[in-house]
Amino acid sequence: MKVLIHKEKRAIVDGREYIVGDAEQYFVLDTKRDVATKYGTIAKEDLAKPSGSVLKTKDTGKEFILIEADYIDTYKRLRKLPQTIPLKDIGLVIGETGINHESNIVDAGLGSGALAIALARITKHVTSYEIREDHLAVAQENINMLDIKNITVKNKSIYDGIDEKNVDLVTFDLPEPWKAAGHAATALRVGGWLVSYSPSIPQVQDFVTAVEKDERLLMVKTVEIIERLWEIEGRKVRPKSTGIGHSGFLTFVRKVKA
Ligand SMILES: C[S@@+](CC[C@H](N)C(=O)[O-])C[C@H]1O[C@@H](n2cnc3c(N)ncnc32)[C@H](O)[C@@H]1O
């Protein structure tokens, strides 16, 4: 797989090259066919050139940079049936819990598989629960596309219990996470983490109430990560005028008692 980055979205300021905004990108799955872009057509023969080559559309002469698609290029193009958790939030889950290549994770709901895939990339194993077969099918497609081998998918409700034991991290992206807080406490090792992601504060309140009633769990914090984009073109430096969107709240909980 290859990525074509539209070169005109780059600007030269004081002799240096900058990407202006999000450089428009085309993801090329089939390198045996010409690629039609809104700026013109890239010939299939050019797609065989080395990563970093500058290609010109054969009809309009517009320039694109060709690179080999990386894991993250493919990840950003996963099929999203239910809404996925954004990278800014995934980053905090990884940073705060310290999970690594030896960690075992339980996740629910699987949804499109975005969180499960991101966690599986850096941990030993992820087991993810999902009740909807259509969501499960999309997630499985995404898992296969990225060739991820260490995810086990279970078509079960996490509200009915968690089969796994001695787990290092449990992640929830569920409509009613409070219904599974006790199950997470049973599944986790002492010192392990439970992180719940919810778009609305009433969900967070009910989840925290359930956590506080369980003496095995210690409420650590609820946070919202706000990502603000900036435009930097030479000395013209300012926040982007597009608004800051809301994604969700992350609640961090630790298992402190067997
Ligand atoms: C917002 S999506 C999760 C998105 C996922 N974190 C991702 O990044 O792609 C919520 C999912 O939870 C699933 N779900 C709802 N209740 C569930 C339950 N009791 N057990 C397991 N999955 C459940 C839904 O079907 C839905 O697919």
Side-chain angles (χ1 to χ4, degrees):
M1 285 179 265
K2 313 259 179 173
V3 182
L4 289 166
I5 303 170
H6 186 217
K7 196 141 189 292
E8 278 181 18
K9 288 281 171 117
R10 297 169 82 90
I12 308 291
V13 181
D14 296 337
R16 288 187 60 195
E17 198 174 30
Y18 295 88
I19 290 181
V20 180
D22 298 326
E24 199 166 336
Q25 299 186 14
Y26 289 82
F27 193 61
V28 185
L29 286 170
D30 184 357
T31 54
K32 295 196 169 52
R33 285 161 61 168
D34 287 356
V35 182
T37 78
K38 70 179 183 200
Y39 305 100
T41 303
I42 295 286
K44 57 181 183 291
E45 296 75 26
D46 282 349
L47 297 171
K49 289 185 177 167
S51 206
S53 299
V54 175
L55 312 183
K56 282 192 178 170
T57 55
K58 55 185 184 184
D59 34 11
T60 55
K62 301 283 183 194
E63 291 186 325
F64 282 83
I65 304 163
L66 176 75
I67 59 164
E68 289 292 335
D70 244 337
Y71 155 78
I72 199 66
D73 300 302
T74 312
Y75 181 88
K76 285 182 177 171
R77 284 159 184 81
L78 294 182
R79 227 184 114 197
K80 291 163 188 154
L81 187 55
Q83 195 52 45
T84 60
I85 174 168
L87 286 172
K88 70 178 175 68
D89 295 318
I90 294 175
L92 194 73
V93 174
I94 294 169
E96 288 282 350
T97 61
I99 49 170
N100 63 21
H101 63 282
E102 293 179 342
S103 308
N104 284 304
I105 317 294
V106 167
D107 167 63
L110 173 66
S112 309
L115 179 59
I117 289 169
L119 296 178
R121 275 271 295 179
I122 60 152
T123 61
K124 189 170 171 194
H125 195 266
V126 176
T127 304
S128 188
Y129 290 67
E130 174 57 59
I131 47 170
R132 283 186 52 168
E133 286 187 14
D134 53 339
H135 291 182
L136 212 141
V138 168
Q140 196 60 62
E141 208 179 281
N142 287 334
I143 291 166
N144 295 346
M145 183 160 95
L146 279 159
D147 200 23
I148 304 280
K149 305 281 189 216
N150 56 338
I151 298 181
T152 303
V153 168
K154 290 191 171 176
N155 189 195
K156 287 170 91 166
S157 170
I158 197 129
Y159 301 155
D160 294 337
I162 298 177
D163 308 322
E164 292 66 31
K165 298 279 175 279
N166 217 23
V167 172
D168 299 293
L169 166 68
V170 175
T171 53
F172 289 161
D173 184 355
L174 292 164
E176 299 173 306
W178 52 92
K179 289 188 175 173
H183 300 321
T186 305
L188 283 166
R189 66 169 168 83
V190 174
W193 289 87
L194 165 60
V195 182
S196 181
Y197 175 80
S198 293
S200 83
I201 276 295
Q203 287 172 304
V204 177
Q205 283 176 313
D206 288 354
F207 176 68
V208 171
T209 302
V211 165
E212 285 173 346
K213 281 187 187 150
D214 193 320
E215 59 175 16
R216 296 168 296 174
L217 298 176
L218 181 72
M219 171 62 193
V220 177
K221 62 179 174 184
T222 294
V223 293
E224 179 187 12
I225 301 294
I226 295 174
E227 186 180 49
R228 189 183 193 195
L229 293 176
W230 282 68
E231 277 174 3
I232 303 183
E233 287 179 52
R235 297 190 66 79
K236 204 170 95 192
V237 178
R238 59 183 176 208
K240 272 205 160 191
S241 48
T242 45
I244 299 169
H246 169 70
S247 56
F249 303 97
L250 285 165
T251 299
F252 290 85
V253 173
R254 198 137 197 213
K255 176 163 173 177
V256 288
K257 195 168 175 243

